Amino acid sequence: MTLEIDVLTLFPAMLEAPLGESIPGRVQARGLAAVRSHDLRRWGLGRHRSVDDYTYGGGAGMVLRPEPIAAALRELRRPDSTVILLDPAGERLDQALARELAARSHLVIVCGRYEGVDERIRSLVDRELSIGDVVLSGGEPAAIVVIDAVLRLLPGAIEADSTVDESFGHGLLEYPQYTRPAEFEGRRVPDTLVSGDHAAVRRWRLREALRRTRARRPDLLAGRALSDDELELLAEIESEEAEGGSRA
Ligand code: SAM
């Protein structure tokens, strides 16, 4: 199945290069997804294809008018569509949400600009999505983030193991990764990783993933059921740290 994504934007060119390279580019070249950008001005009003206007009540900045977006959505929406408005007030993107979107067949993504979109647009979309508690100048960089996160999760996009083992795959941050050289500026790769003992490597990775998550994102651990093995490793980490142990 091909995941189709239509992006409504005032700056279609902003999406082309980032989504044409690397994994998003390969995913599209292999027919797993098709991303199309549409210039909102195509549905703009009057001779000047106007899409924005002053805000009622006064204040700085322009707001995207509802009619061009509504007309575009009438044309782009299909029975299987999920229409997403990018907005700082939306639900926060995370890996679970990216997985949910990767299972859809058609996404329509609306990029706001200026002060955002007319409030009445919210009733025309299925979801509102934020990429974090930060304000961007437009929805395009957020659209790139959302689309990149979704495309790499499509079956066949990358090795299935990579997306399970990485951060948030098991509800934990990823364990530390090392490559050559075995020693860099006096710091050696942990002995277990070069031991060739696969069971010991697996246990080391789980322990370090737990250590890092506990130190940096305790909220992830609090919201996750822990196996007996994980509880035992966490107890080891706590006693190591009580004795002045290693850094996460
Ligand atoms: N006035 C708006 C506010 O204070 O919430 C911010 C508008 S922002 C300058 C313009 C557009 O960028 C938004 O309509 C939205 O599409 C996009 N945008 C900005 N920050 C975003 C975020 N964190 N997540 C998703 N989209 C964002």
Side-chain angles (χ1 to χ4, degrees), residues 86-88 111-116 129-132 134-139 142:
L86 295 168
D87 193 281
C111 299
R113 271 274 151 186
Y114 316 124
E115 287 308 312
L129 245 176
S130 165
I131 61 150
V134 62
V135 178
L136 307 167
S137 19

Side-chain angles (χ1 to χ4, degrees), residues 10 39-45 48-53 63-69 114:
L10 278 175
D39 189 339
L40 180 61
R41 286 198 191 280
R42 202 178 119 204
W43 293 275
L45 303 169
H48 297 293
R49 299 259 165 229
S50 169
V51 293
D52 59 327
D53 215 323
V63 174
L64 287 177
R65 291 177 63 120
E67 310 94 310
I69 299 177
Y114 316 124

Side-chain angles (χ1 to χ4, degrees), residues 76-211:
L76 297 173
R77 191 190 263 283
R78 315 190 309 221
D80 64 328
S81 303
T82 300
V83 178
I84 297 167
L85 171 66
L86 295 168
D87 193 281
E91 66 186 304
R92 185 96 59 91
L93 178 69
D94 64 14
Q95 195 67 359
L97 183 44
R99 279 190 195 283
E100 208 182 311
L101 297 178
R104 303 289 161 96
S105 50
H106 184 220
L107 304 177
V108 179
I109 301 181
V110 180
C111 299
R113 271 274 151 186
Y114 316 124
E115 287 308 312
V117 298
D118 183 284
E119 187 65 17
R120 291 162 289 185
I121 285 303
R122 295 188 199 272
S123 63
L124 303 182
V125 306
D126 302 310
R127 310 184 80 132
E128 297 177 28
L129 245 176
S130 165
I131 61 150
D133 290 349
V134 62
V135 178
L136 307 167
S137 19
E140 293 75 14
I144 294 164
V145 169
V146 173
I147 294 169
D148 182 276
V150 168
L151 294 194
R152 65 194 297 286
L153 292 173
L154 293 177
I158 53 177
E159 272 182 57
D161 279 0
S162 320
T163 62
V164 172
D165 235 14
E166 66 192 359
S167 290
F168 315 112
H170 294 291
L172 299 175
L173 297 180
E174 195 182 49
Y175 46 78
Q177 303 265 18
Y178 294 87
T179 183
R180 287 193 289 184
E183 184 168 336
F184 171 68
E185 296 185 350
R187 279 174 293 162
R188 291 191 54 74
V189 172
D191 290 340
T192 311
L193 296 183
V194 292
S195 67
D197 178 341
H198 298 303
V201 169
R202 266 200 306 280
R203 196 165 169 78
W204 182 92
R205 286 180 167 166
L206 178 58
R207 184 195 295 114
E208 295 313 311
L210 286 163
R211 189 197 305 281

